[in-house]
Amino acid sequence: LMLKHLSSHDHFISFITDHVSSLSPADIQRLRSDSFDSALYKVQKINFDSIHGLLQPLYSNTGRPAKDQIEIFRSLLLMNHFGFTSIDKWVKAVASDHLYAILAGFDPSHLAPLGSYYAFMHRVWGTKKIEKIFPEGHHKKDSKNKKPASGQKWDNVPDGITAQLLDKYTNLEGTPDPDRPELILQELFNELALLPSIEKHILDNPVISADGSSLHILSNPYGIPIDKTDKNSKRRYSDPDADWGWDSHEKRWYFGYSLFALSCHSPSLSVDLPLFFSINPASQHDSVSLFPALAQFRSLCPEMKYQYLCGDSAFDNKSTFLLCKQWGITPVIDFNKRNTGIKRIDDNITLDEEGHPLCHAGYKMTYDGYCKDRDRHKYRCPLKTKKVGSCHCQDACSDSPYGRTFYIQGKDNPRYAFKVLYKSKKWKELYKNRTSSERVNNRILNNYNVEYMHTHTTARYSFFTMLACINIHLDAWYKKANQEG
């Protein structure tokens, strides 16, 4: 297909102004309802002119012209806004309700057919037709996967994988993973939502948080046999990309994907906003998803300035801390219980479960600051710092009036290579931001219905996740506009 024409934002504003002014009183009343009022604001404020340069290379210079591509994109965004989970039902709704058509930019007498919607989605994903026929057992569970213990997450990280990812993304030049099919979706999201939010000062100095969420799907994991009379017949799988994962919230195995997002909280608006998204196999551990997500986000949005990265215990591994150190990011990551416990450092010093040094008498040593030039944290005797009144080891421990001093070196353990100390007051305050990821993921999956979409494959789920992320940013713009009057 050849891209014949992309309508401009100015043309759309003129179009919608003319059509709204000629609406009946009943339609004007509908436009004043919350859902239509916010929809009208969204389509007027989102400027698709910024993505013309991204769409042009996706089409040929010859062939049958592709029409109404911006209108189709806007229509799909409205579909997501109004809570439709079926493209077919939405196209029928647009055909039967001229208000939907006008908001999308369509002349009600010249609407895009259903096939054009799917063609547009396939075009921005950029891959060839997906193979769906495989032998029986394509989605078979791995018998080695064991149910996690109570209160534990699924420990399915391949040996050495985080070290390999660290090596890949710290030594890679240019754009990380330039051939990934979802790249265009990330770029569209950046241009339409993320960069405008930065310009509106909604995302000033954010504390970034990372988290994955289970994306359950309705596809049959067992497939349908091509020849029902042949037991060995190959099967057709409606969603060949999906696989099995462990839902730690529901405490059960599930079939589908993992939604992984980088998010932040905007204090000025009291809203949570997505910064980056990816749809991964359900079996992929969050610690594995973080490396490409953070590398790609840094490459796509160098305009974003941030200092901190929050995450739960899934990210507690040496490679993650080393990556953050090399990129100048301070990690605020909870310790994994499997990596903690009382650890003896020498004859007199041990570390408790929170990584705090205990002296020979068993008292917590007093924290005395971070030495940036020497990359180490300093601790002093609790008796000499008057944290305890007496100590039976005071004579045997140290004869110095300053008391016993102990240092934890960042080079020995990258967990301690940062100024913000684990479970310190500053750490706890920053760690509160981690829940922004949970809230953003919940909005994508439930408020914007990605988990309930009548669709299949990574490509489709990625596309609708992009729409949900854009809508979440537009909601923030709408809230800001209402606050400013």
Side-chain angles (χ1 to χ4, degrees):
L1 289 176
M2 176 181 65
L3 194 56
K4 183 178 181 180
H5 174 69
L6 291 174
S7 59
S8 70
H9 188 63
D10 288 342
H11 176 269
F12 171 71
I13 294 299
S14 297
F15 167 87
I16 202 164
T17 301
D18 292 343
H19 280 75
V20 168
S21 63
S22 61
L23 289 175
S24 67
D27 283 334
I28 294 294
Q29 187 65 31
R30 287 177 67 199
L31 272 182
R32 292 172 180 166
S33 66
D34 288 343
S35 61
F36 274 97
D37 181 66
S38 57
L40 179 60
Y41 173 87
K42 288 180 177 183
V43 296
Q44 288 178 318
K45 293 302 178 181
I46 187 168
N47 190 338
F48 288 93
D49 290 355
S50 62
I51 66 167
H52 287 192
L54 293 174
L55 294 180
Q56 288 284 357
L58 304 180
Y59 293 82
S60 171
N61 293 323
T62 59
R64 181 170 59 85
K67 299 183 295 183
D68 301 326
Q69 302 305 283
I70 297 299
E71 288 74 16
I72 290 171
F73 198 164
R74 189 184 293 112
S75 179
L76 287 165
L77 194 67
L78 287 168
M79 167 190 164
N80 185 246
H81 168 83
F82 285 110
F84 282 76
T85 57
S86 164
I87 298 178
D88 183 50
K89 290 183 178 180
W90 169 248
V91 171
K92 291 177 180 177
V94 172
S96 61
D97 190 332
H98 63 278
L99 206 51
Y100 286 146
I102 291 170
L103 287 174
F106 289 121
D107 183 322
S109 62
H110 295 88
L111 302 175
L114 177 63
S116 295
Y117 282 77
Y118 286 107
F120 176 75
M121 293 170 64
H122 292 159
R123 183 71 60 172
V124 296
W125 184 256
T127 56
K128 297 179 180 179
K129 185 177 180 181
I130 298 172
E131 179 59 49
K132 293 189 175 183
I133 298 176
F134 295 92
E136 183 180 2
H138 178 65
H139 292 310
K140 187 177 181 181
K141 292 182 185 177
D142 190 340
S143 59
K144 297 179 182 179
N145 293 338
K146 303 298 182 183
K147 180 180 177 180
S150 178
Q152 295 289 326
K153 291 191 174 184
W154 188 23
D155 184 19
N156 62 320
V157 185
D159 292 341
I161 185 64
T162 55
Q164 294 173 26
L165 290 169
L166 173 68
D167 182 66
K168 173 183 176 179
Y169 288 109
T170 54
N171 296 313
L172 187 68
E173 295 183 2
T175 304
D177 310 315
D179 296 328
R180 67 186 189 279
E182 70 273 20
L183 174 60
I184 184 64
L185 298 181
Q186 303 287 354
E187 293 176 330
L188 292 171
F189 165 66
N190 271 28
E191 291 293 332
L192 294 173
L194 191 55
L195 292 179
S197 287
I198 293 174
E199 293 171 1
K200 295 174 186 293
H201 299 288
I202 296 173
L203 297 171
D204 292 340
N205 266 333
V207 176
I208 293 180
S209 63
D211 196 22
S213 292
S214 303
L215 170 52
H216 299 239
I217 65 173
L218 302 176
S219 298
N220 179 3
Y222 306 107
I224 299 174
I226 302 298
D227 184 356
K228 295 183 179 181
T229 63
D230 182 3
K231 293 182 178 181
N232 298 318
S233 171
K234 288 187 176 182
R235 292 172 172 254
R236 181 183 299 277
Y237 295 87
S238 58
D239 203 329
D241 301 338
D243 70 353
W244 292 94
W246 175 258
D247 188 326
S248 56
H249 177 70
E250 297 187 4
K251 296 181 176 59
R252 66 182 179 92
W253 297 104
Y254 76 97
F255 183 67
Y257 297 94
S258 172
L259 164 65
F260 189 85
L262 300 178
S263 309
C264 72
H265 180 72
S266 173
S268 62
L269 289 176
S270 295
V271 296
D272 303 288
L273 296 168
L275 306 175
F276 182 91
F277 62 89
S278 61
I279 300 296
N280 303 311
S283 58
Q284 183 164 301
H285 196 270
D286 286 352
S287 63
V288 176
S289 301
L290 176 67
F291 286 84
L294 196 57
Q296 293 162 15
F297 172 63
R298 279 167 52 84
S299 174
L300 284 166
C301 193
E303 297 85 355
M304 178 73 75
K305 307 301 179 185
Y306 51 94
Q307 289 180 271
Y308 304 102
L309 173 68
C310 294
D312 62 19
S313 60
F315 305 106
D316 180 21
N317 61 78
K318 180 179 179 180
S319 297
T320 296
F321 286 99
L322 288 173
L323 183 78
C324 289
K325 183 69 174 177
Q326 293 186 34
W327 286 349
I329 303 170
T330 298
V332 185
I333 294 173
D334 197 10
F335 284 2
N336 191 322
K337 292 181 180 179
R338 285 189 289 266
N339 299 332
T340 58
I342 302 299
K343 297 180 180 180
R344 182 165 295 280
I345 302 301
D346 58 27
D347 292 339
N348 295 317
I349 303 295
T350 57
L351 297 182
D352 65 12
E353 291 186 352
E354 293 186 353
H356 199 108
L358 305 176
C359 70
H360 186 61
Y363 296 116
K364 277 192 173 185
M365 299 188 74
T366 304
Y367 183 61
D368 200 38
Y370 175 66
C371 309
K372 185 176 181 180
D373 57 335
R374 296 189 180 185
D375 187 25
R376 64 184 187 178
H377 292 274
K378 180 183 178 182
Y379 295 85
R380 288 183 59 199
C381 169
L383 179 65
K384 297 299 182 181
T385 54
K386 299 182 180 181
K387 296 298 182 181
V388 297
S390 62
C391 178
H392 65 277
C393 295
Q394 59 179 325
D395 296 328
C397 185
S398 174
D399 57 4
S400 169
Y402 192 75
R404 175 69 185 268
T405 303
F406 179 74
Y407 298 94
I408 296 183
Q409 302 279 350
K411 64 180 181 180
D412 297 330
N413 188 335
R415 278 177 167 180
Y416 303 99
F418 306 92
K419 185 176 181 180
V420 179
L421 196 65
Y422 180 66
K423 289 294 179 76
S424 65
K425 184 178 179 180
K426 177 72 170 179
W427 187 96
K428 291 178 180 178
E429 190 64 29
L430 289 168
Y431 195 67
K432 292 177 182 178
N433 289 276
R434 188 194 65 82
T435 54
S436 65
S437 276
E438 296 177 354
R439 292 189 290 271
V440 164
N441 289 358
N442 179 64
R443 290 207 68 195
I444 294 171
L445 295 177
N446 296 306
N447 296 139
Y448 279 107
N449 299 311
V450 169
E451 191 163 43
Y452 309 103
M453 295 303 302
H454 296 180
T455 192
H456 306 296
T457 72
T458 306
R460 300 275 177 82
Y461 279 109
S462 296
F463 188 92
F464 284 107
T465 298
M466 176 197 66
L467 295 179
C469 289
I470 294 173
N471 265 313
I472 292 171
H473 277 264
L474 293 175
D475 289 336
W477 302 0
Y478 182 64
K479 182 176 183 179
K480 181 178 174 68
N482 285 338
Q483 286 182 354
E484 294 174 347

